[in-house]
Amino acid sequence: MNSFSQFLTFAVGVALGAVVVTGVAWHLKRREVKRLAQLTHDLRTPLSSIMAYAEILEDGVGEDERARFLGIIQEEAARMDTMMGGRASGSRQAGPRARERKIPSELGTVPGTPQHTVLVVDDDRFIVNALRRFLEQKGFRALVALDGEQALQRAREGRPDVILLDLLMPVMGGQETLRRLRADPSTSAIPVILTSGETVRASAQGAAETLMKPIQPEVLLAAVTRVIQEGVPR
Amino acid sequence: MKKILVCDDEPHILESVAYVARRKGYDVLSAENGEEALTLVRQERPPLVLLDLNMPIKSGYQVCEEIRSDPRLKGIHIIMLTAKGQDSDRARGEAAGADEYITKPFSPRKLGQRMTEILGDP
């Protein structure tokens, strides 16, 4: 091959290499642009909540509402921080015992790959939705029920790995719901975490644990993970 | 009292919009998914529907199309609330039959004023 042919071969090789590199870079940039566009879209909802409640507070509210709306603003700000890859530090510590609780990384902590299912039962739909969202963000699959009958049905059909059960519900309360769960062979082995605004003994109720409301996210995550691993109390 | 139906699967958005509407004196119905929204629209016939686009079971687009295709639900004013702000999304919302399109983040104060402009006194 003469020197011109060699040069031509070399030039074509360089050109092809440049095309491939440019194509890969363009593809990666396009993926990044798409990811950023999705992130921008996703951030608008918590941002909208923050701006809405800030405006509502500015217009004046009662003291109870003021505290609650400020809490929502903090929660949504933490959510935005998490979306952007940060670790929001706004949640309160639950005390020395909480620090002993370790969260295994294999249990539902990878977004988009739900490995375990949690059934959330509460007659307050805002609580139900907030818990559902949090659990889904942590990689769990979340089922919801707004009353005891729905909870029994969802438990039979969905076979969750753990049930978060509000104690105080109208018509069929948490105690009766738990009794029926234990009486049904198809649901008796599902561990239950009771949630309540008052101090309750979990073992006396047949539950694995109790969580006091308002529920701290890290405490919830630790309890769900621990209960899934340990199962129904004997 | 005049009724407003607020449809959004984000509980804080739902609550803030409902809060503003109640403070204005309107009766507020709420739905967290498209199926629930359609059930309430058919039962209650609210004159104003605030509709999020991204909802489970049925999207805001589907809900809007079904409302518009039902002659019994004629005259309902539909405002879409959404984080989707592209021109193509607006065009799709208009094609589905929405009267207005508000992009998140939005001002609840201005939304409240718009409620009054559309519905008048509670």
Side-chain angles (χ1 to χ4, degrees):
Chain A
M1 194 187 289
N2 60 28
S3 57
F4 177 74
S5 298
Q6 284 175 334
F7 170 75
L8 195 59
T9 304
F10 172 74
V12 168
V14 167
L16 279 174
V19 166
V20 168
V21 167
T22 303
V24 168
W26 177 82
H27 175 70
L28 289 174
K29 187 177 176 192
R30 196 162 167 239
R31 263 176 53 179
E32 181 62 12
V33 165
K34 202 174 172 185
R35 187 188 73 82
L36 287 173
Q38 184 62 43
L39 179 61
T40 304
H41 169 271
D42 291 344
L43 284 171
R44 286 190 188 202
T45 293
L47 181 60
S48 192
S49 290
I50 290 170
M51 290 175 61
Y53 283 105
E55 206 174 87
I56 289 171
L57 285 167
E58 194 180 22
D59 287 344
V61 297
E63 270 312 303
D64 287 344
E65 283 174 335
R66 181 181 153 78
R68 197 159 71 82
F69 293 165
L70 282 172
I72 289 172
I73 287 173
Q74 288 173 341
E75 188 185 318
E76 293 289 63
R79 187 176 158 194
M80 288 181 73
D81 184 51
T82 303
M83 281 179 178
M84 291 185 287
R87 289 172 61 86
S89 57
S91 59
R92 284 169 278 165
Q93 294 300 315
R97 287 189 64 193
R99 286 195 285 277
E100 295 169 11
R101 296 165 182 164
K102 291 185 170 50
I103 301 171
S105 59
E106 67 272 15
L107 270 187
T109 56
V110 179
T113 58
Q115 297 179 37
H116 292 88
T117 301
V118 181
L119 170 58
V120 181
V121 186
D122 201 303
D123 60 312
D124 187 327
R125 61 180 56 212
F126 288 118
I127 291 177
V128 156
N129 278 324
L131 292 177
R132 174 177 65 84
R133 287 189 186 287
F134 172 74
L135 290 164
E136 285 174 350
Q137 280 169 10
K138 293 300 178 186
F140 292 94
R141 174 172 165 254
L143 306 173
V144 301
L146 295 174
D147 58 52
E149 280 292 350
Q150 239 181 41
L152 295 172
Q153 190 184 350
R154 297 267 193 279
R156 282 192 287 266
E157 291 168 357
R159 302 295 172 96
D161 297 285
V162 64
I163 299 173
L164 278 176
L165 178 60
D166 181 27
L167 201 54
L168 286 174
M169 292 189 294
V171 186
M172 189 193 299
Q175 277 178 314
E176 177 60 18
T177 305
L178 183 53
R179 191 191 68 75
R180 293 196 193 188
L181 285 167
R182 291 289 171 261
D184 184 341
S186 68
T187 57
S188 60
I190 302 173
V192 173
I193 299 173
L194 289 175
T195 62
S196 173
E198 300 166 359
T199 305
V200 173
R201 281 185 59 212
S203 57
Q205 307 289 337
E209 290 197 21
T210 57
L211 293 177
M212 283 272 293
K213 290 179 176 179
I215 301 170
Q216 300 302 312
E218 286 75 21
V219 173
L220 169 66
L221 189 57
V224 165
T225 306
R226 186 171 51 254
V227 164
I228 286 176
Q229 287 185 322
E230 293 171 5
V232 179
R234 294 180 188 162
Chain B
M1 269 194 292
K2 289 175 185 166
K3 293 180 185 176
I4 298 177
L5 172 61
V6 185
C7 315
D8 201 308
D9 64 328
E10 286 281 342
H12 293 155
I13 298 287
L14 192 61
E15 188 185 353
S16 61
V17 174
Y19 182 89
V20 167
R22 285 195 185 104
R23 203 158 63 173
K24 286 251 164 206
Y26 300 109
D27 188 14
V28 179
L29 308 164
S30 63
E32 292 158 7
N33 61 65
E35 196 63 56
E36 202 180 337
L38 281 169
T39 301
L40 284 171
V41 166
R42 289 174 182 134
Q43 280 174 357
E44 304 285 342
R45 312 276 173 94
L48 174 61
V49 173
L50 301 173
L51 188 58
D52 179 39
L53 278 186
N54 280 334
M55 288 191 294
I57 305 178
K58 282 189 177 173
S59 70
Y61 292 125
Q62 289 173 297
V63 171
C64 194
E65 283 168 356
E66 290 198 34
I67 291 174
R68 290 299 182 231
S69 65
D70 189 337
R72 295 168 296 178
L73 303 176
K74 207 173 167 184
I76 292 178
H77 195 97
I78 300 176
I79 299 178
M80 279 191 176
L81 303 171
T82 180
K84 287 177 176 269
Q86 305 270 355
D87 288 341
S88 56
D89 302 313
R90 288 176 176 267
R92 195 177 164 196
E94 284 171 14
D99 294 291
E100 296 177 46
Y101 196 100
I102 297 179
T103 308
K104 294 175 185 175
F106 56 83
S107 160
R109 210 179 276 143
K110 289 183 183 172
L111 183 59
Q113 284 167 3
R114 193 72 194 108
M115 289 176 192
T116 306
E117 286 165 9
I118 294 167
L119 295 177
D121 292 332

